[in-house]
Amino acid sequence: MLDIHELVAKVEGKQILNGLNLSIKPGEVHAIMGPNGAGKSTLGNVLTGRAGYDVVSGDVTFNGKNLFELEVEERAREGVFLAFQYPVEIPGVSNMEFLKASVDARRKHLGLPELSSFDFMKLARECSQKVSLDPAFLKRGVNEGFSGGEKKRNEIMQMMLLEPRLCILDETDSGLDIDALQVVAAGVNAMRDSARSFIVVTHYQRLLDFIVPDYVHVLANGRIVRTGDKELAKELEAKGYGWLEKEGV
Amino acid sequence: MSARMTNSRQSIPAPMSAFQRHALMMAKQQSVAASHGHLLSSLREQGASEFERATWPGRKLEHWKYTSVQALQSNETAVWAAGSSASAECLATQLIPMHATRLVFVDGVLDAAASDTMPEGICLFSQADNLATDVIEANLGKVAGTVDPARRNLFASLNGAWTLDGLLIHVARNVVLEKPVYLVYVSTAQHNVVANLRTLVVLEQGASAQIIEHFLSSEHVSGNNGFVNTLTEIQLGPNAQLHHTRLNLEHEAAIHVGAVHVNLMRDAVLNGFTLSEGSQLKRIDYQLNHCGQGASLSFDGVYLARHDQQVDYHTCIEHRVPNCTSQQVFRGIVGNKAKAVFNGRIHIFEDAQKTLAEMSNRNLLTSNSAEIYTKPELEIYADDVKCAHGATISQLDETALYYLLSRGISPANARTMLSFGFINELLSSLTIEPLRVWLEAWLRNRFSEDRSLVSDIKPATDSGAEP
Amino acid sequence: MSEQVESLIRKEYAAGFHSAIESDTLAPGLDEDTVRFISAQKQEPEWMLEWRLKAYRAWREMAEPTWAHVHYPEIDFKSISYYSAPKSMKDRPKSLDEVDPELIATYEKLGIPLHEQAALAGVAVDVVFDSVSVVTTFREKLREVGVIFCPISDAIREYPELIKKYMGSVVPQKDNFYAALNSAVFSDGSFVYIPKGVRCPMELSTYFRINELNTGQFERTLIIADEGSHVSYLEGCTAPMRDENQLHAAVVELVALDDAQIKYSTVQNWYPGDKEGKGGIYNFVTKRGVAHKNARISWTQVETGSAVTWKYPSCILKGDNSVGEFYSVALTNNFQQADTGTKMIHLGKNTRSTIVAKGISAGRSNSAYRGLVRINPTAEGARNYTQCDSLLIGDRCGAHTFPYIETKNASAVIEHEATTSKVSDDQLFLCQQRGLDAEKAVSMIVNGFCREVFKELPMEFAVEAGKLLEVSLEGSVG
């Protein structure tokens, strides 16, 4: 589904990814861990095409398509979804308007008819209940006045609505209390199926107790330095990242 | 150095413009009814004399520095509008559907057929009973009259000179006016007609009301360049509460010069909102005076200008006494070859301690031929105050844009949504739900039908600027 | 504010003495003959006289500006003497030994040693006393690297091509009322030329002193930084204490050619008048620079003196990527009035400007920031950041902000912020509780408030500026 080959990328002139390789098959969950500054968030931003994240070399194919030939919104319509670490507030634009526009764009791309307002509302209410958000939030500005936890739940709700093929969760666990974490994890787990893949970027092993990964990768200095299963995450939790560097990997 | 004059500081008074002479003549043409003439005579005389002496606006006049009054300057043929009635189509399509006391004025004259009956306390000056006469006598010209003569707008003087009748909204002590008062001012497509509107609002102690002033053109045809000059005076007694909304949505050929003057007495509360589209000439002054301790006001404004339009807001908030607060937020989008002016002044008088005053003005330019002139002013003579203002001119937020794109929304659509949202955010302060819903729909329509108000400008990159 | 604090605002103006120097002073009055006299005194070429006369004729048709937030009695321009020179200057001194010892003593009293061996390390000084430049130190040393630093009257004779090309190119004769007056009657001032690629090896500085009664001072400064050069320049000014108001109307022009950098710092300490508002200098000054491609012009000013200040050091950002900066502290006390700020005119692409203005008002004074940020249609990608902060000390003073922001390019990013605050009783209490006296506490708070500006000053002057604030604030706390 996703093949990242020797990816080198820069942010503000500074090279952050240094030849990253990663291959993900449909239905797999890959966790990416690593110390601060390793390039974890950069990966999500590069894959979704954020301005200011410049690809120097390497290539990425997503379902056979060269991802870098697509604009930000085209990648999204192909089914690449990024759950933001810091979801932005957009006062004046209601969640409802935003969500409907997103869903319509994705459906149009898939050759499906637009949802009627009634059907959309029904769907939106269902999804908001799944992530324990009061449907009244739909009328408010995008993320406006949301707590950190509400913002993260809104991200998961958007993921449910858009039904992407590849979900990148960028430190979705940061700033969440245990209850919110479980809600988020339940949302993600409910969406796991044989056709959908996940990249779960996290600093802590805790999230992986709830979303059990097939693979755990350690990212350091812009490259994957070690790959293992969920046991690796536990080892990291116990030992920190320092031992990897000492081993000179 | 002696006080002898050499290079004189007093410039020779500028000659009157053709319009000034003509306007004074128009005032003389009016026949003041004997029944209520005594109420208006001093207002008319003082207005005429001030207007006659006033310097005609030009680039060198600070408060008209950026706005051209060319459209009026040489007009010697303007005539008083004859009253007519609003077309059914106009009433059906342009009015805001809401449960309210609706009064419709067509070219300045009440269209009784299209209006509701006036409830107690609301009347034309010409139909004032004894109580209303007392209220008019005690208040008319008194709110506007407190403006520093050096800053007085000559069109406010002209409004006085031209006042033949007016509308009084009087809310008695502790009365809560449940129904909003919806004032509709229709300009018809008659060429070169003049309408002069004078409104006096008096809320006695503890009274409460909601007033909407809605200006529109009956037909959206070009050439409808009638001139509407308005002045609304509002006296808020102790503990009175007013929601005041003013919408200027006339055709772009319209010439509108308007003013709203408010005095707030002890613990009075004003929630103001204004939205204007630009036109050939649109100038709106707000003068808000804190006259009693504990008064507070919040005031939001929106201006949207495109094509060749201009729109000019001058606001002045005077904290004349201690312990008052004011919060002001203005936003504007200017596109095509349009021009917008925002001059927001906060004046804290000596001894007006414990004042809290904040003002914010944000702007989006959507074209390199558009112009924005903003001047947020502070004049402060008391030290124990919290005052701040901020003004920005920028582009759409890049992070927000990326967020929308990353959800698959097209760049064009995302920009429309964000430009709309930039303005729509201010609508949340409107408490009359049908009004807010109507305005949001109007705004949405404006943004989707015409991309001139949608920001497509990308911010400059950071690189390469440092030498 | 406590009474204790009130009692803190009183100290004498330290530079307020008058020196008994014999002077040739022109009788008061202004007409074409006055202009001719000044030009003749300076042995100017004919073209310079014509330039002055053109300015004078324009000035006669102009009106004094009234838009500033300042009030003062009408000035009678015919009651001012437009030229005064120490007698000893009649035949210009060939060396410092020939300079009137009283004059040297005057400057020593002001802390400006004129003997090069005693001079501040690394600072060359041009000294202007009333209408003439009396001495310029380190001229020869600077000449070695090609830097010209001399009185402008010398430059008119010695470098006519540079003067013809650049004088009036930034501030035209008819620019405004006071600039026109200055163009007609300017007496002296400094001239600086930094050749291509040269980094001026020392700080340059001019020290202005008004000494004679009823004289106006009209100096003119022109600084040209050729391509890729750097210069840092500082001016200081003082005047005796007098009951009469005296006029100072200077013009400063800066030209920063491609890739050049000019840093211009001012510590303005003209006599501010007494506690009742009597006397003091009217400081009506036009300062402007043009920045060409990739050039940078930086104005830093600490304004504590003058009865009335009317001053807007400005940048015309003509070249692409040019940068303009304005850092200002304006402190007013007693009855002083200041209307000061800047203009940033963005013409070139990707031009940047930063404005940081700190106004401190005490006593019955008024301090206003007045600024213009203009983005022309050609200034694609222009940016401005403006921050205006006012600090009020006492409840009888005023602090005002009048920013004009004009934008005609949609890609510009402009941010303007203004705040007002006071030295709060809580702040004072905290400082006092920690053992500081109220005066020290206020000066500490004020110094903190001004830190962003002081850090832009050359080191030795930053210290001076801090002390100056302390002195100017005396008696302001209450």
Side-chain angles (χ1 to χ4, degrees), chain B residues 143-167:
Chain B
V143 183
T146 62
V147 178
D148 172 8
R151 302 176 42 81
R152 200 165 292 170
N153 185 328
L154 78 166
F155 290 102
S157 304
L158 179 61
N159 185 280
W162 276 355
T163 297
L164 196 59
D165 202 344
L167 180 71

PDB file of all heavy atoms in Angstrom, chain B residues 143-167:
ATOM      1  N   VAL B 143     -27.089  64.475  22.282  1.00  0.00           N
ATOM      2  CA  VAL B 143     -26.054  63.442  22.239  1.00  0.00           C
ATOM      3  C   VAL B 143     -25.002  63.823  21.208  1.00  0.00           C
ATOM      4  O   VAL B 143     -23.807  63.888  21.486  1.00  0.00           O
ATOM      5  CB  VAL B 143     -26.658  62.062  21.920  1.00  0.00           C
ATOM      6  CG1 VAL B 143     -25.578  60.998  21.947  1.00  0.00           C
ATOM      7  CG2 VAL B 143     -27.776  61.726  22.903  1.00  0.00           C
ATOM      8  N   ALA B 144     -25.471  64.132  19.999  1.00  0.00           N
ATOM      9  CA  ALA B 144     -24.555  64.497  18.921  1.00  0.00           C
ATOM     10  C   ALA B 144     -23.844  65.802  19.252  1.00  0.00           C
ATOM     11  O   ALA B 144     -22.713  66.032  18.846  1.00  0.00           O
ATOM     12  CB  ALA B 144     -25.311  64.621  17.610  1.00  0.00           C
ATOM     13  N   GLY B 145     -24.526  66.654  20.010  1.00  0.00           N
ATOM     14  CA  GLY B 145     -23.961  67.964  20.312  1.00  0.00           C
ATOM     15  C   GLY B 145     -22.735  67.920  21.205  1.00  0.00           C
ATOM     16  O   GLY B 145     -22.023  68.905  21.343  1.00  0.00           O
ATOM     17  N   THR B 146     -22.454  66.757  21.809  1.00  0.00           N
ATOM     18  CA  THR B 146     -21.311  66.701  22.717  1.00  0.00           C
ATOM     19  C   THR B 146     -20.000  66.407  21.997  1.00  0.00           C
ATOM     20  O   THR B 146     -18.948  66.333  22.615  1.00  0.00           O
ATOM     21  CB  THR B 146     -21.523  65.626  23.804  1.00  0.00           C
ATOM     22  OG1 THR B 146     -21.633  64.359  23.168  1.00  0.00           O
ATOM     23  CG2 THR B 146     -22.755  65.907  24.632  1.00  0.00           C
ATOM     24  N   VAL B 147     -20.058  66.207  20.695  1.00  0.00           N
ATOM     25  CA  VAL B 147     -18.824  65.932  19.959  1.00  0.00           C
ATOM     26  C   VAL B 147     -17.976  67.200  19.900  1.00  0.00           C
ATOM     27  O   VAL B 147     -18.494  68.283  19.649  1.00  0.00           O
ATOM     28  CB  VAL B 147     -19.146  65.469  18.519  1.00  0.00           C
ATOM     29  CG1 VAL B 147     -17.865  65.222  17.737  1.00  0.00           C
ATOM     30  CG2 VAL B 147     -20.003  64.229  18.539  1.00  0.00           C
ATOM     31  N   ASP B 148     -16.713  67.035  20.167  1.00  0.00           N
ATOM     32  CA  ASP B 148     -15.754  68.132  20.060  1.00  0.00           C
ATOM     33  C   ASP B 148     -15.907  68.815  18.696  1.00  0.00           C
ATOM     34  O   ASP B 148     -15.824  68.158  17.655  1.00  0.00           O
ATOM     35  CB  ASP B 148     -14.350  67.505  20.211  1.00  0.00           C
ATOM     36  CG  ASP B 148     -13.227  68.489  19.924  1.00  0.00           C
ATOM     37  OD1 ASP B 148     -13.511  69.682  19.757  1.00  0.00           O
ATOM     38  OD2 ASP B 148     -12.070  68.026  19.891  1.00  0.00           O
ATOM     39  N   PRO B 149     -16.168  70.136  18.687  1.00  0.00           N
ATOM     40  CA  PRO B 149     -16.449  70.813  17.416  1.00  0.00           C
ATOM     41  C   PRO B 149     -15.356  70.583  16.370  1.00  0.00           C
ATOM     42  O   PRO B 149     -15.631  70.518  15.172  1.00  0.00           O
ATOM     43  CB  PRO B 149     -16.516  72.290  17.812  1.00  0.00           C
ATOM     44  CG  PRO B 149     -16.831  72.299  19.257  1.00  0.00           C
ATOM     45  CD  PRO B 149     -16.257  71.043  19.832  1.00  0.00           C
ATOM     46  N   ALA B 150     -14.116  70.425  16.844  1.00  0.00           N
ATOM     47  CA  ALA B 150     -13.016  70.229  15.895  1.00  0.00           C
ATOM     48  C   ALA B 150     -13.149  68.895  15.162  1.00  0.00           C
ATOM     49  O   ALA B 150     -12.599  68.723  14.082  1.00  0.00           O
ATOM     50  CB  ALA B 150     -11.686  70.277  16.636  1.00  0.00           C
ATOM     51  N   ARG B 151     -13.858  67.980  15.777  1.00  0.00           N
ATOM     52  CA  ARG B 151     -13.986  66.654  15.169  1.00  0.00           C
ATOM     53  C   ARG B 151     -15.360  66.434  14.555  1.00  0.00           C
ATOM     54  O   ARG B 151     -15.662  65.360  14.062  1.00  0.00           O
ATOM     55  CB  ARG B 151     -13.744  65.567  16.229  1.00  0.00           C
ATOM     56  CG  ARG B 151     -12.392  65.646  16.925  1.00  0.00           C
ATOM     57  CD  ARG B 151     -12.307  64.586  18.007  1.00  0.00           C
ATOM     58  NE  ARG B 151     -12.866  63.328  17.521  1.00  0.00           N
ATOM     59  CZ  ARG B 151     -12.199  62.478  16.767  1.00  0.00           C
ATOM     60  NH1 ARG B 151     -10.965  62.714  16.420  1.00  0.00           N
ATOM     61  NH2 ARG B 151     -12.768  61.361  16.369  1.00  0.00           N
ATOM     62  N   ARG B 152     -16.211  67.434  14.650  1.00  0.00           N
ATOM     63  CA  ARG B 152     -17.588  67.248  14.188  1.00  0.00           C
ATOM     64  C   ARG B 152     -17.627  67.033  12.677  1.00  0.00           C
ATOM     65  O   ARG B 152     -16.985  67.741  11.918  1.00  0.00           O
ATOM     66  CB  ARG B 152     -18.415  68.484  14.561  1.00  0.00           C
ATOM     67  CG  ARG B 152     -19.894  68.222  14.578  1.00  0.00           C
ATOM     68  CD  ARG B 152     -20.633  69.333  15.301  1.00  0.00           C
ATOM     69  NE  ARG B 152     -20.336  69.334  16.741  1.00  0.00           N
ATOM     70  CZ  ARG B 152     -20.693  70.320  17.559  1.00  0.00           C
ATOM     71  NH1 ARG B 152     -21.325  71.373  17.101  1.00  0.00           N
ATOM     72  NH2 ARG B 152     -20.387  70.251  18.846  1.00  0.00           N
ATOM     73  N   ASN B 153     -18.375  66.058  12.287  1.00  0.00           N
ATOM     74  CA  ASN B 153     -18.524  65.737  10.878  1.00  0.00           C
ATOM     75  C   ASN B 153     -19.519  66.712  10.253  1.00  0.00           C
ATOM     76  O   ASN B 153     -20.623  66.893  10.763  1.00  0.00           O
ATOM     77  CB  ASN B 153     -19.029  64.293  10.773  1.00  0.00           C
ATOM     78  CG  ASN B 153     -19.094  63.814   9.353  1.00  0.00           C
ATOM     79  OD1 ASN B 153     -19.338  64.601   8.434  1.00  0.00           O
ATOM     80  ND2 ASN B 153     -18.879  62.523   9.170  1.00  0.00           N
ATOM     81  N   LEU B 154     -19.130  67.334   9.163  1.00  0.00           N
ATOM     82  CA  LEU B 154     -20.019  68.343   8.586  1.00  0.00           C
ATOM     83  C   LEU B 154     -21.343  67.755   8.113  1.00  0.00           C
ATOM     84  O   LEU B 154     -22.347  68.474   8.041  1.00  0.00           O
ATOM     85  CB  LEU B 154     -19.323  69.108   7.454  1.00  0.00           C
ATOM     86  CG  LEU B 154     -19.201  68.455   6.081  1.00  0.00           C
ATOM     87  CD1 LEU B 154     -18.798  69.509   5.069  1.00  0.00           C
ATOM     88  CD2 LEU B 154     -18.201  67.324   6.075  1.00  0.00           C
ATOM     89  N   PHE B 155     -21.354  66.466   7.839  1.00  0.00           N
ATOM     90  CA  PHE B 155     -22.614  65.864   7.402  1.00  0.00           C
ATOM     91  C   PHE B 155     -23.588  65.676   8.573  1.00  0.00           C
ATOM     92  O   PHE B 155     -24.795  65.637   8.372  1.00  0.00           O
ATOM     93  CB  PHE B 155     -22.366  64.544   6.672  1.00  0.00           C
ATOM     94  CG  PHE B 155     -21.714  64.757   5.336  1.00  0.00           C
ATOM     95  CD1 PHE B 155     -20.363  64.538   5.160  1.00  0.00           C
ATOM     96  CD2 PHE B 155     -22.465  65.223   4.254  1.00  0.00           C
ATOM     97  CE1 PHE B 155     -19.761  64.765   3.934  1.00  0.00           C
ATOM     98  CE2 PHE B 155     -21.865  65.449   3.017  1.00  0.00           C
ATOM     99  CZ  PHE B 155     -20.502  65.220   2.858  1.00  0.00           C
ATOM    100  N   ALA B 156     -23.031  65.580   9.778  1.00  0.00           N
ATOM    101  CA  ALA B 156     -23.909  65.545  10.951  1.00  0.00           C
ATOM    102  C   ALA B 156     -24.563  66.906  11.119  1.00  0.00           C
ATOM    103  O   ALA B 156     -25.756  67.015  11.448  1.00  0.00           O
ATOM    104  CB  ALA B 156     -23.108  65.162  12.200  1.00  0.00           C
ATOM    105  N   SER B 157     -23.801  67.955  10.866  1.00  0.00           N
ATOM    106  CA  SER B 157     -24.376  69.305  10.901  1.00  0.00           C
ATOM    107  C   SER B 157     -25.455  69.433   9.839  1.00  0.00           C
ATOM    108  O   SER B 157     -26.536  69.979  10.076  1.00  0.00           O
ATOM    109  CB  SER B 157     -23.289  70.353  10.653  1.00  0.00           C
ATOM    110  OG  SER B 157     -22.248  70.214  11.585  1.00  0.00           O
ATOM    111  N   LEU B 158     -25.122  68.925   8.659  1.00  0.00           N
ATOM    112  CA  LEU B 158     -26.096  69.006   7.557  1.00  0.00           C
ATOM    113  C   LEU B 158     -27.367  68.243   7.904  1.00  0.00           C
ATOM    114  O   LEU B 158     -28.476  68.687   7.586  1.00  0.00           O
ATOM    115  CB  LEU B 158     -25.468  68.442   6.274  1.00  0.00           C
ATOM    116  CG  LEU B 158     -26.373  68.436   5.039  1.00  0.00           C
ATOM    117  CD1 LEU B 158     -26.801  69.866   4.675  1.00  0.00           C
ATOM    118  CD2 LEU B 158     -25.674  67.782   3.847  1.00  0.00           C
ATOM    119  N   ASN B 159     -27.198  67.113   8.584  1.00  0.00           N
ATOM    120  CA  ASN B 159     -28.376  66.348   8.980  1.00  0.00           C
ATOM    121  C   ASN B 159     -29.297  67.194   9.857  1.00  0.00           C
ATOM    122  O   ASN B 159     -30.519  67.189   9.686  1.00  0.00           O
ATOM    123  CB  ASN B 159     -27.952  65.069   9.722  1.00  0.00           C
ATOM    124  CG  ASN B 159     -29.136  64.180  10.040  1.00  0.00           C
ATOM    125  OD1 ASN B 159     -29.851  64.428  11.001  1.00  0.00           O
ATOM    126  ND2 ASN B 159     -29.377  63.170   9.209  1.00  0.00           N
ATOM    127  N   GLY B 160     -28.695  67.954  10.754  1.00  0.00           N
ATOM    128  CA  GLY B 160     -29.493  68.848  11.592  1.00  0.00           C
ATOM    129  C   GLY B 160     -30.191  69.902  10.740  1.00  0.00           C
ATOM    130  O   GLY B 160     -31.398  70.138  10.889  1.00  0.00           O
ATOM    131  N   ALA B 161     -29.439  70.483   9.830  1.00  0.00           N
ATOM    132  CA  ALA B 161     -29.998  71.545   8.972  1.00  0.00           C
ATOM    133  C   ALA B 161     -31.174  71.037   8.145  1.00  0.00           C
ATOM    134  O   ALA B 161     -32.081  71.787   7.802  1.00  0.00           O
ATOM    135  CB  ALA B 161     -28.901  72.076   8.057  1.00  0.00           C
ATOM    136  N   TRP B 162     -31.143  69.753   7.839  1.00  0.00           N
ATOM    137  CA  TRP B 162     -32.153  69.157   6.962  1.00  0.00           C
ATOM    138  C   TRP B 162     -33.282  68.448   7.720  1.00  0.00           C
ATOM    139  O   TRP B 162     -34.158  67.851   7.103  1.00  0.00           O
ATOM    140  CB  TRP B 162     -31.483  68.130   6.041  1.00  0.00           C
ATOM    141  CG  TRP B 162     -30.852  68.709   4.805  1.00  0.00           C
ATOM    142  CD1 TRP B 162     -30.893  69.989   4.376  1.00  0.00           C
ATOM    143  CD2 TRP B 162     -30.083  67.972   3.828  1.00  0.00           C
ATOM    144  NE1 TRP B 162     -30.207  70.119   3.198  1.00  0.00           N
ATOM    145  CE2 TRP B 162     -29.692  68.890   2.839  1.00  0.00           C
ATOM    146  CE3 TRP B 162     -29.696  66.636   3.713  1.00  0.00           C
ATOM    147  CZ2 TRP B 162     -28.933  68.521   1.728  1.00  0.00           C
ATOM    148  CZ3 TRP B 162     -28.939  66.265   2.603  1.00  0.00           C
ATOM    149  CH2 TRP B 162     -28.557  67.200   1.623  1.00  0.00           C
ATOM    150  N   THR B 163     -33.208  68.431   9.041  1.00  0.00           N
ATOM    151  CA  THR B 163     -34.199  67.641   9.780  1.00  0.00           C
ATOM    152  C   THR B 163     -35.579  68.302   9.751  1.00  0.00           C
ATOM    153  O   THR B 163     -35.787  69.381  10.301  1.00  0.00           O
ATOM    154  CB  THR B 163     -33.742  67.409  11.227  1.00  0.00           C
ATOM    155  OG1 THR B 163     -32.547  66.638  11.209  1.00  0.00           O
ATOM    156  CG2 THR B 163     -34.801  66.656  12.029  1.00  0.00           C
ATOM    157  N   LEU B 164     -36.486  67.616   9.068  1.00  0.00           N
ATOM    158  CA  LEU B 164     -37.849  68.124   8.919  1.00  0.00           C
ATOM    159  C   LEU B 164     -38.791  67.292   9.786  1.00  0.00           C
ATOM    160  O   LEU B 164     -39.852  67.730  10.204  1.00  0.00           O
ATOM    161  CB  LEU B 164     -38.248  68.002   7.451  1.00  0.00           C
ATOM    162  CG  LEU B 164     -39.440  68.784   6.965  1.00  0.00           C
ATOM    163  CD1 LEU B 164     -39.229  70.278   7.190  1.00  0.00           C
ATOM    164  CD2 LEU B 164     -39.662  68.519   5.474  1.00  0.00           C
ATOM    165  N   ASP B 165     -38.380  66.053   9.977  1.00  0.00           N
ATOM    166  CA  ASP B 165     -39.141  65.133  10.814  1.00  0.00           C
ATOM    167  C   ASP B 165     -38.147  64.097  11.303  1.00  0.00           C
ATOM    168  O   ASP B 165     -36.951  64.176  10.973  1.00  0.00           O
ATOM    169  CB  ASP B 165     -40.259  64.467  10.000  1.00  0.00           C
ATOM    170  CG  ASP B 165     -41.379  63.952  10.917  1.00  0.00           C
ATOM    171  OD1 ASP B 165     -41.149  63.843  12.138  1.00  0.00           O
ATOM    172  OD2 ASP B 165     -42.474  63.643  10.405  1.00  0.00           O
ATOM    173  N   GLY B 166     -38.606  63.168  12.066  1.00  0.00           N
ATOM    174  CA  GLY B 166     -37.678  62.160  12.555  1.00  0.00           C
ATOM    175  C   GLY B 166     -38.454  61.081  13.271  1.00  0.00           C
ATOM    176  O   GLY B 166     -39.683  61.147  13.394  1.00  0.00           O
ATOM    177  N   LEU B 167     -37.720  60.087  13.722  1.00  0.00           N
ATOM    178  CA  LEU B 167     -38.371  58.990  14.420  1.00  0.00           C
ATOM    179  C   LEU B 167     -37.894  58.982  15.865  1.00  0.00           C
ATOM    180  O   LEU B 167     -36.683  59.062  16.119  1.00  0.00           O
ATOM    181  CB  LEU B 167     -38.017  57.658  13.760  1.00  0.00           C
ATOM    182  CG  LEU B 167     -38.640  56.423  14.422  1.00  0.00           C
ATOM    183  CD1 LEU B 167     -40.139  56.367  14.168  1.00  0.00           C
ATOM    184  CD2 LEU B 167     -37.967  55.144  13.927  1.00  0.00           C
TER     185      LEU B 167
END
